[in-house]
Amino acid sequence: MSLLGQDIPMERPDADGRAALLVPVDGIKEDVLMTIRKGAAIVGFANHDRTVTIYFESNRFDDPVLAKWEHKARKAYDRLVDNAPTVSKLTTSPANFEQIGYINGKGITIRRMDSLKRWLAYSDALASCPENEIVPRTVIPKADAVKV
């Protein structure tokens, strides 16, 4: 049984369009979990063939700019909207994920905070969880833009 809402966005959103925020369900296949990595922010959309395309950001290289979950979500969303080439992309069964909210050009809306907290607690990343269900878009400074 899929835990995706009936209002999951269909097809890739354009700039400022809406994408789904997702977390893995309990009992997700181990190979999928190893691909996305614990603590990842996952965004995606539904396809007409009843699969979902997801983009994810797990901060694999420990970039301090991506320490917060919402910054990871923004990075994954920007990649999705731009259709950027990446290995952090997967087309899979919707049964692997639960939709917890939405992300667009203006911000993040979390409708199932308990599910997000479950995922982040499982990932030992609960400290990166947003404090509120509504997270306005913030600009993430680029590392090379910071002057010493």
Side-chain angles (χ1 to χ4, degrees):
M1 179 181 105
S2 174
L3 295 173
L4 298 181
Q6 291 182 340
D7 57 348
I8 185 170
M10 290 292 292
E11 301 181 337
R12 181 182 313 280
D14 53 8
D16 292 332
R18 185 173 72 161
L21 287 169
L22 307 163
V23 295
V25 296
D26 286 331
I28 187 172
K29 293 179 181 179
E30 192 64 31
D31 60 332
V32 176
L33 185 59
M34 288 178 63
T35 300
I36 61 171
R37 301 169 58 97
K38 288 183 176 181
I42 306 162
V43 301
F45 57 89
N47 301 303
H48 291 287
D49 65 356
R50 298 183 187 217
T51 61
V52 291
T53 298
I54 62 166
Y55 283 67
F56 49 92
E57 176 57 56
S58 62
N59 196 14
R60 183 176 179 178
F61 300 108
D62 294 324
D63 183 346
V65 172
L66 297 174
K68 291 186 173 184
W69 176 87
E70 63 258 33
H71 293 158
K72 292 180 203 174
R74 175 62 50 198
K75 178 83 169 184
Y77 172 80
D78 289 345
R79 234 187 255 133
L80 178 150
V81 168
D82 292 340
N83 198 14
T86 181
V87 296
S88 298
K89 173 184 173 183
L90 183 66
T91 299
T92 186
S93 167
N96 291 319
F97 297 95
E98 174 184 356
Q99 183 179 353
I100 61 162
Y102 299 98
I103 184 169
N104 63 26
K106 295 179 182 169
I108 295 171
T109 302
I110 302 167
R111 293 197 172 154
R112 293 189 177 109
M113 183 63 86
D114 55 329
S115 294
L116 175 59
K117 286 181 178 180
R118 173 193 51 81
W119 166 238
L120 293 176
Y122 170 79
S123 303
D124 295 324
L126 193 54
S128 72
C129 188
E131 294 178 19
N132 301 307
E133 288 83 8
I134 306 294
V135 182
R137 182 174 187 156
T138 56
V139 176
I140 303 171
K142 299 218 184 252
D144 57 340
V146 178
K147 303 235 180 192
V148 180

